Amino acid sequence: QVQPVESGGGVVQAGGSLRLSCVVSGRTFSSYAMAWFRQAPGKAREFVSTISWSGGRTRYAESVEGRFTISRDNAKNTVFLQMNSLKPEDTAVYYCAAAVSGGATIVEGLYDYWGQGTQVTVSS
């Protein structure tokens, strides 16, 4: 059973930082592409960042480029999202997702496994 579990969300002031983590159960984590999506109240879920199975390719939404960094530790079955210079518009539930295909895709429908989400709130 593959199950992503997110942690690290919380409340932070604008300009602050948070680091999200996502641990994935199962023995094939190193073959999955991993991604972060987010959903703000009243809005559709949107792509934030993705990393290929090897970590060799990363992609970011334009809104977070230069502020967020995605990384992974295959030995620990964990993917991270370092979020700096946070803005109130970053407030959302952040979801971790795994794609069996392995490529760093931004297409939500290509992700096979999803976590329950972690709340990030940025106050102004």
Side-chain angles (χ1 to χ4, degrees), residues 12-20 35-39 46-51 58-71 80-95 120-122:
V12 63
Q13 288 190 329
S17 298
L18 280 175
R19 189 192 197 201
L20 304 184
W36 291 93
F37 290 78
R38 67 185 182 187
Q39 187 168 21
E46 65 175 3
F47 166 77
V48 176
S49 182
T50 182
I51 186 167
T58 58
R59 302 173 72 177
Y60 297 91
E62 187 175 332
S63 59
V64 307
E65 183 84 51
R67 299 188 298 122
F68 291 10
T69 302
I70 191 170
S71 61
F80 304 97
L81 186 68
Q82 178 67 44
M83 305 186 296
N84 299 330
S85 302
L86 282 161
K87 304 175 182 180
E89 51 264 44
D90 294 317
T91 294
V93 177
Y94 283 71
Y95 296 92
V120 171
T121 302
V122 184

Side-chain angles (χ1 to χ4, degrees), residues 5-39:
V5 178
E6 305 94 336
S7 63
V11 180
V12 63
Q13 288 190 329
S17 298
L18 280 175
R19 189 192 197 201
L20 304 184
S21 299
C22 174
V23 179
V24 181
S25 61
R27 295 187 293 177
T28 54
F29 172 81
S30 61
S31 68
Y32 300 149
M34 298 298 300
W36 291 93
F37 290 78
R38 67 185 182 187
Q39 187 168 21

